[in-house]
Amino acid sequence: MTTGLVTGTIEFSAVDGPGNRFVTFLQGCNLDCLACHNPYTINVCNDCGICVEGCPSGALSLVGTRVAWDPTVCLGSDACLTVCPYDATPKARTMTPAQLVDLVRPAAPFLSGITVSGGEATQQAAFVRAFFEVLRDDPATAGLTRFVDTNGDAPQATWDLLDPVMDAAMVDLKALDADLHRRLTGHGNALILDSIRTLAARGRLYEVRLLLASGVNDSDDLLARTGAFLAAVDPTMRVKVIGYRPHGVRPSPIPLLEPTAEHLAHCATVLAGTGDFKLVTL
Amino acid sequence: MYEGNRPFTPRYVLPDYALALRQGVRYLELEPPTDLDGALTFLTCLCSQVPSVTTYPVYLGDLDALLEPYVPAELSDEELDAKLRRFWIQLDRLVPDAFAHLNVGPSDGRVIRAIWRVERSTPQTVPNITFKVDPALTPDDLIADAVRTVFVTGKPHFVNHPMMTADHPGGYAAVSCYNSLKIGGGAHTLVRINLAKAADLHDGGLDSFLAEALPLLVELNSELIEARIRSLVETQGFFQSNFLALEGLIDIDRFSAMFGIFGLAECVNKLMARDGHPEATYGHHDAANVASYRITERVAELVRSRPQPYCQGGDGFAYLHSQSGIDLDLDATAGTRIPVGDEPGMREHITVVAPHHKLFPAGISDIFHVDDTVKRNPEAMVDIIRGALGFGMRDFTFNLNDNEFIRITGYMVRKSDLVKDDAHGARHASDYLASTAEINHTVLTRCLKRITAVELDPLVFR
């Protein structure tokens, strides 16, 4: 049976798509973004055991060669995440789609939908597909919309796999410029731009999100080119402009600074000059 | 908020304002109004004559339905808002008491939309507002508009319209602090049992509490209710002399009394500990939650089997009410709520408290504290409100953590008013209660009150 490596779930979230949503975070990401807010979701635990000693609640232990986590003892100090040198967590759990749906079901009457996030959800695309199929086929959850929160760095085959069961995706675009993108994330952005085109063409693109750090990826020139690219894909798409915030972020070789509210508003104006976007500024 | 043992007016009176607008009020020499200004003046005059325990009216009408017929198509939204804003200022200054409550909904219309706009641009504690939501009738974007209003003023409070209508045929409104009563009627009196103290006075565990303690306490409470009703109706002559009764704007057959309980959380926890389960606390453990349902079901059963005179509004019985506390309550949580700060996650919180709601036709309240992130996504609150009502909640209130407006028991107070009270005295009668409420003892000191007499404070008599 397909299983997924699940970092955690949130029953009610107001910040992961339209309406109230159940969010599932999947462990593991193929990018390595400087501005990542939850870097402990990037890699999969390699059972090195460093965190076992660092745990103040005694919830972690070495069982054979594996690090085991006992959630009934855990006090939630997140000391394990602080000491982990590999940007991973010992608390990710292997779950089946049915086990996850069991968690969604009691919350379903209060939700617009569910969102899979991460990490990078498309890294576990087969599991996401299986999870969405169970959600679709269970009468208690069939009415919920099924969204994927993604970095977009996935081949078309991934979107082909998810298309029959997914309502929409929310895609991050860290930078339109490939070199800058590589400096910010460790990867190029060709697949991401393709994903935006593919999803928009299929009517599966809910929004594109631009995370802007002051002096890094918020120049008028870059924003104008970004706006032109997005407008060529769909001039009426929903674009969310998000100011970088340092919460949870690792020390960065490139200084990352929060843009002011005034500057974010200016960025939105520049984008508005390039298309008839539904602009949201955070 | 104390009635005394011989109340001379009913505690809560809900006149049929719609009937008054149609037929006029002879006693006040008010003709039926013919335009919006006339209707607003009419309502201002009439509500100022409606008695209650606070001496101010607790019910100001189902305002959107009352005013909609007087709004001509050619009146612009700006003009409509300006008229309502003047009315809002009048209410807040002439009825300086946040128990004064108007109702809106469940249907969409120009007036309810204007009310949300005026609320957001005129942030006052008066009027308090309840929004009747009918999941089949009330559009999502109207609920979202109300949610955006909560972000500014902490109002409205949301109620389950189909559930209320089933319990109160012929029309209801929520007034004062979550008291749902019949329009054209009201409540003679409210007498409450402190379940936390009841558990202290009882030596045994849950089973004997249900079998022995509750029948005695319900009977004692009922005797006091009956004595007050008989005094009010048979001796004081309110229903024989007040113009509201004489002109048919209230009908004694739409009255009952309110039987209140509070301190359920402490009661459950004490009984669970006595039964050998100190770890089982209300809101967190199935055994404690089941015990809480057994207690409220038992009280409801006992109240339903104890007839009360002049309570035809409740088919001859008192209405059960989960009483949300007063300023002087110490060591007892409001009504059937989970103690503040001890609430489980929101979904679980709703699931635990919802089964109580069907038992309390005269109102019940649970307040949910919500993260500020919903400000950018009011539709998330719409989902939760719809879910909660679908789950059998009768009343639903949420507060944002950082709001200038805070809800004390059910009424509103502005934090800045509490700060000012200390130096200048309270402008609203309810601000004074808020500043002495136990919830605020750690926030602000007591304040002077400059608009009602100390005789209303029972501590003076001790």
PDB file of all heavy atoms in Angstrom, chain B residues 75-106:
ATOM      1  N   LEU B  75     -33.279  56.098  -2.043  1.00  0.00           N
ATOM      2  CA  LEU B  75     -32.358  56.522  -0.985  1.00  0.00           C
ATOM      3  C   LEU B  75     -30.993  55.870  -1.232  1.00  0.00           C
ATOM      4  O   LEU B  75     -30.883  54.646  -1.347  1.00  0.00           O
ATOM      5  CB  LEU B  75     -32.902  56.074   0.381  1.00  0.00           C
ATOM      6  CG  LEU B  75     -32.131  56.586   1.600  1.00  0.00           C
ATOM      7  CD1 LEU B  75     -32.405  58.067   1.836  1.00  0.00           C
ATOM      8  CD2 LEU B  75     -32.518  55.779   2.845  1.00  0.00           C
ATOM      9  N   SER B  76     -29.941  56.688  -1.292  1.00  0.00           N
ATOM     10  CA  SER B  76     -28.612  56.125  -1.574  1.00  0.00           C
ATOM     11  C   SER B  76     -28.068  55.415  -0.340  1.00  0.00           C
ATOM     12  O   SER B  76     -28.506  55.664   0.785  1.00  0.00           O
ATOM     13  CB  SER B  76     -27.653  57.238  -1.990  1.00  0.00           C
ATOM     14  OG  SER B  76     -27.358  58.049  -0.860  1.00  0.00           O
ATOM     15  N   ASP B  77     -27.083  54.546  -0.569  1.00  0.00           N
ATOM     16  CA  ASP B  77     -26.441  53.865   0.560  1.00  0.00           C
ATOM     17  C   ASP B  77     -25.804  54.880   1.507  1.00  0.00           C
ATOM     18  O   ASP B  77     -25.831  54.702   2.726  1.00  0.00           O
ATOM     19  CB  ASP B  77     -25.363  52.890   0.054  1.00  0.00           C
ATOM     20  CG  ASP B  77     -25.983  51.595  -0.454  1.00  0.00           C
ATOM     21  OD1 ASP B  77     -27.189  51.375  -0.221  1.00  0.00           O
ATOM     22  OD2 ASP B  77     -25.256  50.808  -1.094  1.00  0.00           O
ATOM     23  N   GLU B  78     -25.226  55.949   0.951  1.00  0.00           N
ATOM     24  CA  GLU B  78     -24.574  56.959   1.796  1.00  0.00           C
ATOM     25  C   GLU B  78     -25.594  57.618   2.721  1.00  0.00           C
ATOM     26  O   GLU B  78     -25.328  57.832   3.913  1.00  0.00           O
ATOM     27  CB  GLU B  78     -23.896  58.033   0.937  1.00  0.00           C
ATOM     28  CG  GLU B  78     -22.671  57.555   0.165  1.00  0.00           C
ATOM     29  CD  GLU B  78     -23.004  56.636  -1.006  1.00  0.00           C
ATOM     30  OE1 GLU B  78     -24.161  56.685  -1.506  1.00  0.00           O
ATOM     31  OE2 GLU B  78     -22.135  55.848  -1.408  1.00  0.00           O
ATOM     32  N   GLU B  79     -26.773  57.940   2.163  1.00  0.00           N
ATOM     33  CA  GLU B  79     -27.810  58.576   2.993  1.00  0.00           C
ATOM     34  C   GLU B  79     -28.342  57.599   4.040  1.00  0.00           C
ATOM     35  O   GLU B  79     -28.575  57.970   5.204  1.00  0.00           O
ATOM     36  CB  GLU B  79     -28.959  59.078   2.107  1.00  0.00           C
ATOM     37  CG  GLU B  79     -28.569  60.255   1.236  1.00  0.00           C
ATOM     38  CD  GLU B  79     -29.616  60.529   0.153  1.00  0.00           C
ATOM     39  OE1 GLU B  79     -29.930  59.608  -0.637  1.00  0.00           O
ATOM     40  OE2 GLU B  79     -30.126  61.652   0.112  1.00  0.00           O
ATOM     41  N   LEU B  80     -28.522  56.350   3.627  1.00  0.00           N
ATOM     42  CA  LEU B  80     -29.003  55.328   4.560  1.00  0.00           C
ATOM     43  C   LEU B  80     -28.002  55.159   5.709  1.00  0.00           C
ATOM     44  O   LEU B  80     -28.377  55.141   6.888  1.00  0.00           O
ATOM     45  CB  LEU B  80     -29.201  54.002   3.816  1.00  0.00           C
ATOM     46  CG  LEU B  80     -29.599  52.784   4.654  1.00  0.00           C
ATOM     47  CD1 LEU B  80     -30.892  53.030   5.419  1.00  0.00           C
ATOM     48  CD2 LEU B  80     -29.757  51.546   3.753  1.00  0.00           C
ATOM     49  N   ASP B  81     -26.716  55.075   5.352  1.00  0.00           N
ATOM     50  CA  ASP B  81     -25.692  54.912   6.386  1.00  0.00           C
ATOM     51  C   ASP B  81     -25.684  56.105   7.336  1.00  0.00           C
ATOM     52  O   ASP B  81     -25.547  55.942   8.554  1.00  0.00           O
ATOM     53  CB  ASP B  81     -24.296  54.774   5.753  1.00  0.00           C
ATOM     54  CG  ASP B  81     -24.126  53.446   5.026  1.00  0.00           C
ATOM     55  OD1 ASP B  81     -25.113  52.695   4.944  1.00  0.00           O
ATOM     56  OD2 ASP B  81     -23.017  53.173   4.531  1.00  0.00           O
ATOM     57  N   ALA B  82     -25.822  57.301   6.788  1.00  0.00           N
ATOM     58  CA  ALA B  82     -25.780  58.503   7.629  1.00  0.00           C
ATOM     59  C   ALA B  82     -26.942  58.504   8.623  1.00  0.00           C
ATOM     60  O   ALA B  82     -26.773  58.858   9.799  1.00  0.00           O
ATOM     61  CB  ALA B  82     -25.818  59.754   6.751  1.00  0.00           C
ATOM     62  N   LYS B  83     -28.121  58.098   8.177  1.00  0.00           N
ATOM     63  CA  LYS B  83     -29.278  58.056   9.084  1.00  0.00           C
ATOM     64  C   LYS B  83     -29.057  57.005  10.175  1.00  0.00           C
ATOM     65  O   LYS B  83     -29.322  57.248  11.355  1.00  0.00           O
ATOM     66  CB  LYS B  83     -30.555  57.731   8.291  1.00  0.00           C
ATOM     67  CG  LYS B  83     -31.050  58.879   7.417  1.00  0.00           C
ATOM     68  CD  LYS B  83     -32.262  58.443   6.608  1.00  0.00           C
ATOM     69  CE  LYS B  83     -32.621  59.469   5.532  1.00  0.00           C
ATOM     70  NZ  LYS B  83     -33.072  60.756   6.086  1.00  0.00           N
ATOM     71  N   LEU B  84     -28.567  55.849   9.754  1.00  0.00           N
ATOM     72  CA  LEU B  84     -28.338  54.795  10.751  1.00  0.00           C
ATOM     73  C   LEU B  84     -27.233  55.203  11.721  1.00  0.00           C
ATOM     74  O   LEU B  84     -27.290  54.898  12.913  1.00  0.00           O
ATOM     75  CB  LEU B  84     -27.968  53.480  10.063  1.00  0.00           C
ATOM     76  CG  LEU B  84     -29.140  52.706   9.464  1.00  0.00           C
ATOM     77  CD1 LEU B  84     -28.637  51.460   8.744  1.00  0.00           C
ATOM     78  CD2 LEU B  84     -30.147  52.288  10.545  1.00  0.00           C
ATOM     79  N   ARG B  85     -26.210  55.887  11.206  1.00  0.00           N
ATOM     80  CA  ARG B  85     -25.109  56.289  12.090  1.00  0.00           C
ATOM     81  C   ARG B  85     -25.614  57.251  13.163  1.00  0.00           C
ATOM     82  O   ARG B  85     -25.234  57.147  14.330  1.00  0.00           O
ATOM     83  CB  ARG B  85     -23.974  56.919  11.276  1.00  0.00           C
ATOM     84  CG  ARG B  85     -22.708  57.161  12.094  1.00  0.00           C
ATOM     85  CD  ARG B  85     -21.515  57.505  11.224  1.00  0.00           C
ATOM     86  NE  ARG B  85     -21.152  56.412  10.346  1.00  0.00           N
ATOM     87  CZ  ARG B  85     -21.280  56.423   9.025  1.00  0.00           C
ATOM     88  NH1 ARG B  85     -21.750  57.501   8.405  1.00  0.00           N
ATOM     89  NH2 ARG B  85     -20.936  55.385   8.313  1.00  0.00           N
ATOM     90  N   ARG B  86     -26.513  58.158  12.789  1.00  0.00           N
ATOM     91  CA  ARG B  86     -27.090  59.065  13.799  1.00  0.00           C
ATOM     92  C   ARG B  86     -27.886  58.272  14.838  1.00  0.00           C
ATOM     93  O   ARG B  86     -27.829  58.539  16.034  1.00  0.00           O
ATOM     94  CB  ARG B  86     -27.974  60.118  13.124  1.00  0.00           C
ATOM     95  CG  ARG B  86     -27.192  61.212  12.416  1.00  0.00           C
ATOM     96  CD  ARG B  86     -28.062  62.401  12.068  1.00  0.00           C
ATOM     97  NE  ARG B  86     -28.989  62.122  10.982  1.00  0.00           N
ATOM     98  CZ  ARG B  86     -28.686  62.245   9.680  1.00  0.00           C
ATOM     99  NH1 ARG B  86     -27.481  62.647   9.318  1.00  0.00           N
ATOM    100  NH2 ARG B  86     -29.580  61.971   8.760  1.00  0.00           N
ATOM    101  N   PHE B  87     -28.623  57.264  14.348  1.00  0.00           N
ATOM    102  CA  PHE B  87     -29.395  56.409  15.253  1.00  0.00           C
ATOM    103  C   PHE B  87     -28.450  55.660  16.197  1.00  0.00           C
ATOM    104  O   PHE B  87     -28.706  55.535  17.397  1.00  0.00           O
ATOM    105  CB  PHE B  87     -30.234  55.437  14.416  1.00  0.00           C
ATOM    106  CG  PHE B  87     -31.156  54.545  15.207  1.00  0.00           C
ATOM    107  CD1 PHE B  87     -32.157  55.072  16.007  1.00  0.00           C
ATOM    108  CD2 PHE B  87     -31.038  53.158  15.127  1.00  0.00           C
ATOM    109  CE1 PHE B  87     -33.018  54.238  16.721  1.00  0.00           C
ATOM    110  CE2 PHE B  87     -31.894  52.324  15.835  1.00  0.00           C
ATOM    111  CZ  PHE B  87     -32.883  52.861  16.630  1.00  0.00           C
ATOM    112  N   TRP B  88     -27.345  55.189  15.659  1.00  0.00           N
ATOM    113  CA  TRP B  88     -26.346  54.463  16.476  1.00  0.00           C
ATOM    114  C   TRP B  88     -25.824  55.364  17.594  1.00  0.00           C
ATOM    115  O   TRP B  88     -25.696  54.936  18.734  1.00  0.00           O
ATOM    116  CB  TRP B  88     -25.180  54.026  15.581  1.00  0.00           C
ATOM    117  CG  TRP B  88     -25.044  52.544  15.359  1.00  0.00           C
ATOM    118  CD1 TRP B  88     -23.923  51.801  15.570  1.00  0.00           C
ATOM    119  CD2 TRP B  88     -26.045  51.636  14.876  1.00  0.00           C
ATOM    120  NE1 TRP B  88     -24.175  50.484  15.255  1.00  0.00           N
ATOM    121  CE2 TRP B  88     -25.457  50.349  14.831  1.00  0.00           C
ATOM    122  CE3 TRP B  88     -27.384  51.767  14.504  1.00  0.00           C
ATOM    123  CZ2 TRP B  88     -26.152  49.223  14.411  1.00  0.00           C
ATOM    124  CZ3 TRP B  88     -28.076  50.650  14.078  1.00  0.00           C
ATOM    125  CH2 TRP B  88     -27.465  49.408  14.040  1.00  0.00           C
ATOM    126  N   ILE B  89     -25.507  56.595  17.248  1.00  0.00           N
ATOM    127  CA  ILE B  89     -24.974  57.527  18.244  1.00  0.00           C
ATOM    128  C   ILE B  89     -26.039  57.812  19.307  1.00  0.00           C
ATOM    129  O   ILE B  89     -25.750  57.820  20.505  1.00  0.00           O
ATOM    130  CB  ILE B  89     -24.478  58.811  17.555  1.00  0.00           C
ATOM    131  CG1 ILE B  89     -23.231  58.481  16.726  1.00  0.00           C
ATOM    132  CG2 ILE B  89     -24.174  59.907  18.574  1.00  0.00           C
ATOM    133  CD1 ILE B  89     -22.807  59.584  15.769  1.00  0.00           C
ATOM    134  N   GLN B  90     -27.268  58.006  18.853  1.00  0.00           N
ATOM    135  CA  GLN B  90     -28.364  58.208  19.815  1.00  0.00           C
ATOM    136  C   GLN B  90     -28.468  57.039  20.778  1.00  0.00           C
ATOM    137  O   GLN B  90     -28.579  57.218  21.993  1.00  0.00           O
ATOM    138  CB  GLN B  90     -29.700  58.323  19.082  1.00  0.00           C
ATOM    139  CG  GLN B  90     -30.008  59.696  18.554  1.00  0.00           C
ATOM    140  CD  GLN B  90     -31.431  59.739  18.007  1.00  0.00           C
ATOM    141  OE1 GLN B  90     -32.224  58.836  18.208  1.00  0.00           O
ATOM    142  NE2 GLN B  90     -31.739  60.800  17.298  1.00  0.00           N
ATOM    143  N   LEU B  91     -28.454  55.821  20.230  1.00  0.00           N
ATOM    144  CA  LEU B  91     -28.617  54.649  21.095  1.00  0.00           C
ATOM    145  C   LEU B  91     -27.494  54.582  22.121  1.00  0.00           C
ATOM    146  O   LEU B  91     -27.729  54.364  23.311  1.00  0.00           O
ATOM    147  CB  LEU B  91     -28.613  53.357  20.255  1.00  0.00           C
ATOM    148  CG  LEU B  91     -29.866  53.053  19.442  1.00  0.00           C
ATOM    149  CD1 LEU B  91     -29.644  51.782  18.635  1.00  0.00           C
ATOM    150  CD2 LEU B  91     -31.092  52.888  20.341  1.00  0.00           C
ATOM    151  N   ASP B  92     -26.271  54.766  21.655  1.00  0.00           N
ATOM    152  CA  ASP B  92     -25.127  54.607  22.564  1.00  0.00           C
ATOM    153  C   ASP B  92     -25.142  55.661  23.664  1.00  0.00           C
ATOM    154  O   ASP B  92     -24.723  55.398  24.792  1.00  0.00           O
ATOM    155  CB  ASP B  92     -23.829  54.690  21.761  1.00  0.00           C
ATOM    156  CG  ASP B  92     -22.607  54.441  22.634  1.00  0.00           C
ATOM    157  OD1 ASP B  92     -22.399  53.279  23.025  1.00  0.00           O
ATOM    158  OD2 ASP B  92     -21.880  55.407  22.936  1.00  0.00           O
ATOM    159  N   ARG B  93     -25.637  56.873  23.355  1.00  0.00           N
ATOM    160  CA  ARG B  93     -25.621  57.931  24.363  1.00  0.00           C
ATOM    161  C   ARG B  93     -26.889  57.933  25.214  1.00  0.00           C
ATOM    162  O   ARG B  93     -26.838  58.250  26.398  1.00  0.00           O
ATOM    163  CB  ARG B  93     -25.475  59.313  23.700  1.00  0.00           C
ATOM    164  CG  ARG B  93     -24.327  59.453  22.720  1.00  0.00           C
ATOM    165  CD  ARG B  93     -22.963  58.999  23.235  1.00  0.00           C
ATOM    166  NE  ARG B  93     -21.917  59.371  22.291  1.00  0.00           N
ATOM    167  CZ  ARG B  93     -21.479  58.600  21.294  1.00  0.00           C
ATOM    168  NH1 ARG B  93     -21.986  57.389  21.101  1.00  0.00           N
ATOM    169  NH2 ARG B  93     -20.541  59.035  20.474  1.00  0.00           N
ATOM    170  N   LEU B  94     -28.049  57.538  24.601  1.00  0.00           N
ATOM    171  CA  LEU B  94     -29.305  57.558  25.365  1.00  0.00           C
ATOM    172  C   LEU B  94     -29.536  56.262  26.122  1.00  0.00           C
ATOM    173  O   LEU B  94     -30.259  56.231  27.109  1.00  0.00           O
ATOM    174  CB  LEU B  94     -30.501  57.796  24.427  1.00  0.00           C
ATOM    175  CG  LEU B  94     -30.569  59.167  23.753  1.00  0.00           C
ATOM    176  CD1 LEU B  94     -31.736  59.197  22.767  1.00  0.00           C
ATOM    177  CD2 LEU B  94     -30.737  60.258  24.792  1.00  0.00           C
ATOM    178  N   VAL B  95     -28.966  55.171  25.631  1.00  0.00           N
ATOM    179  CA  VAL B  95     -29.120  53.865  26.274  1.00  0.00           C
ATOM    180  C   VAL B  95     -27.714  53.360  26.590  1.00  0.00           C
ATOM    181  O   VAL B  95     -27.216  52.441  25.968  1.00  0.00           O
ATOM    182  CB  VAL B  95     -29.869  52.877  25.348  1.00  0.00           C
ATOM    183  CG1 VAL B  95     -30.163  51.573  26.084  1.00  0.00           C
ATOM    184  CG2 VAL B  95     -31.148  53.484  24.817  1.00  0.00           C
ATOM    185  N   PRO B  96     -27.060  53.993  27.560  1.00  0.00           N
ATOM    186  CA  PRO B  96     -25.642  53.698  27.772  1.00  0.00           C
ATOM    187  C   PRO B  96     -25.435  52.400  28.537  1.00  0.00           C
ATOM    188  O   PRO B  96     -24.980  52.387  29.672  1.00  0.00           O
ATOM    189  CB  PRO B  96     -25.155  54.915  28.564  1.00  0.00           C
ATOM    190  CG  PRO B  96     -26.366  55.352  29.326  1.00  0.00           C
ATOM    191  CD  PRO B  96     -27.562  55.019  28.481  1.00  0.00           C
ATOM    192  N   ASP B  97     -25.752  51.297  27.886  1.00  0.00           N
ATOM    193  CA  ASP B  97     -25.715  50.015  28.561  1.00  0.00           C
ATOM    194  C   ASP B  97     -25.590  48.919  27.499  1.00  0.00           C
ATOM    195  O   ASP B  97     -26.462  48.785  26.634  1.00  0.00           O
ATOM    196  CB  ASP B  97     -27.015  49.829  29.350  1.00  0.00           C
ATOM    197  CG  ASP B  97     -26.946  48.637  30.270  1.00  0.00           C
ATOM    198  OD1 ASP B  97     -27.281  47.530  29.818  1.00  0.00           O
ATOM    199  OD2 ASP B  97     -26.559  48.812  31.435  1.00  0.00           O
ATOM    200  N   ALA B  98     -24.509  48.174  27.547  1.00  0.00           N
ATOM    201  CA  ALA B  98     -24.208  47.232  26.468  1.00  0.00           C
ATOM    202  C   ALA B  98     -25.061  45.970  26.506  1.00  0.00           C
ATOM    203  O   ALA B  98     -24.891  45.083  25.688  1.00  0.00           O
ATOM    204  CB  ALA B  98     -22.720  46.867  26.488  1.00  0.00           C
ATOM    205  N   PHE B  99     -26.007  45.888  27.454  1.00  0.00           N
ATOM    206  CA  PHE B  99     -26.977  44.797  27.394  1.00  0.00           C
ATOM    207  C   PHE B  99     -28.085  45.114  26.396  1.00  0.00           C
ATOM    208  O   PHE B  99     -28.893  44.259  26.070  1.00  0.00           O
ATOM    209  CB  PHE B  99     -27.580  44.531  28.781  1.00  0.00           C
ATOM    210  CG  PHE B  99     -26.554  44.157  29.808  1.00  0.00           C
ATOM    211  CD1 PHE B  99     -26.111  45.068  30.740  1.00  0.00           C
ATOM    212  CD2 PHE B  99     -26.019  42.878  29.811  1.00  0.00           C
ATOM    213  CE1 PHE B  99     -25.149  44.720  31.679  1.00  0.00           C
ATOM    214  CE2 PHE B  99     -25.055  42.525  30.742  1.00  0.00           C
ATOM    215  CZ  PHE B  99     -24.614  43.445  31.682  1.00  0.00           C
ATOM    216  N   ALA B 100     -28.149  46.369  25.938  1.00  0.00           N
ATOM    217  CA  ALA B 100     -29.144  46.757  24.931  1.00  0.00           C
ATOM    218  C   ALA B 100     -28.749  46.109  23.612  1.00  0.00           C
ATOM    219  O   ALA B 100     -27.650  46.294  23.119  1.00  0.00           O
ATOM    220  CB  ALA B 100     -29.187  48.274  24.796  1.00  0.00           C
ATOM    221  N   HIS B 101     -29.677  45.363  23.044  1.00  0.00           N
ATOM    222  CA  HIS B 101     -29.314  44.378  22.042  1.00  0.00           C
ATOM    223  C   HIS B 101     -30.299  44.448  20.881  1.00  0.00           C
ATOM    224  O   HIS B 101     -31.499  44.447  21.094  1.00  0.00           O
ATOM    225  CB  HIS B 101     -29.455  43.009  22.731  1.00  0.00           C
ATOM    226  CG  HIS B 101     -28.544  41.975  22.215  1.00  0.00           C
ATOM    227  ND1 HIS B 101     -27.664  41.310  23.014  1.00  0.00           N
ATOM    228  CD2 HIS B 101     -28.372  41.472  20.983  1.00  0.00           C
ATOM    229  CE1 HIS B 101     -26.996  40.437  22.286  1.00  0.00           C
ATOM    230  NE2 HIS B 101     -27.406  40.521  21.054  1.00  0.00           N
ATOM    231  N   LEU B 102     -29.778  44.516  19.674  1.00  0.00           N
ATOM    232  CA  LEU B 102     -30.680  44.355  18.536  1.00  0.00           C
ATOM    233  C   LEU B 102     -30.310  43.109  17.768  1.00  0.00           C
ATOM    234  O   LEU B 102     -29.211  42.582  17.895  1.00  0.00           O
ATOM    235  CB  LEU B 102     -30.696  45.598  17.644  1.00  0.00           C
ATOM    236  CG  LEU B 102     -29.433  46.082  16.958  1.00  0.00           C
ATOM    237  CD1 LEU B 102     -29.167  45.308  15.697  1.00  0.00           C
ATOM    238  CD2 LEU B 102     -29.591  47.569  16.630  1.00  0.00           C
ATOM    239  N   ASN B 103     -31.287  42.634  16.979  1.00  0.00           N
ATOM    240  CA  ASN B 103     -31.098  41.408  16.202  1.00  0.00           C
ATOM    241  C   ASN B 103     -31.219  41.727  14.720  1.00  0.00           C
ATOM    242  O   ASN B 103     -31.921  42.689  14.340  1.00  0.00           O
ATOM    243  CB  ASN B 103     -32.166  40.371  16.573  1.00  0.00           C
ATOM    244  CG  ASN B 103     -31.908  39.695  17.926  1.00  0.00           C
ATOM    245  OD1 ASN B 103     -31.991  38.488  18.062  1.00  0.00           O
ATOM    246  ND2 ASN B 103     -31.588  40.486  18.938  1.00  0.00           N
ATOM    247  N   VAL B 104     -30.526  40.964  13.905  1.00  0.00           N
ATOM    248  CA  VAL B 104     -30.622  41.086  12.452  1.00  0.00           C
ATOM    249  C   VAL B 104     -30.622  39.693  11.845  1.00  0.00           C
ATOM    250  O   VAL B 104     -30.250  38.720  12.492  1.00  0.00           O
ATOM    251  CB  VAL B 104     -29.464  41.925  11.855  1.00  0.00           C
ATOM    252  CG1 VAL B 104     -29.542  43.370  12.300  1.00  0.00           C
ATOM    253  CG2 VAL B 104     -28.118  41.322  12.219  1.00  0.00           C
ATOM    254  N   GLY B 105     -30.998  39.631  10.551  1.00  0.00           N
ATOM    255  CA  GLY B 105     -30.988  38.366   9.819  1.00  0.00           C
ATOM    256  C   GLY B 105     -32.320  37.654   9.959  1.00  0.00           C
ATOM    257  O   GLY B 105     -33.233  38.174  10.584  1.00  0.00           O
ATOM    258  N   PRO B 106     -32.437  36.482   9.370  1.00  0.00           N
ATOM    259  CA  PRO B 106     -31.424  35.737   8.620  1.00  0.00           C
ATOM    260  C   PRO B 106     -31.322  36.128   7.139  1.00  0.00           C
ATOM    261  O   PRO B 106     -30.421  35.660   6.464  1.00  0.00           O
ATOM    262  CB  PRO B 106     -31.917  34.282   8.739  1.00  0.00           C
ATOM    263  CG  PRO B 106     -33.406  34.415   8.820  1.00  0.00           C
ATOM    264  CD  PRO B 106     -33.666  35.702   9.550  1.00  0.00           C
TER     265      PRO B 106
END
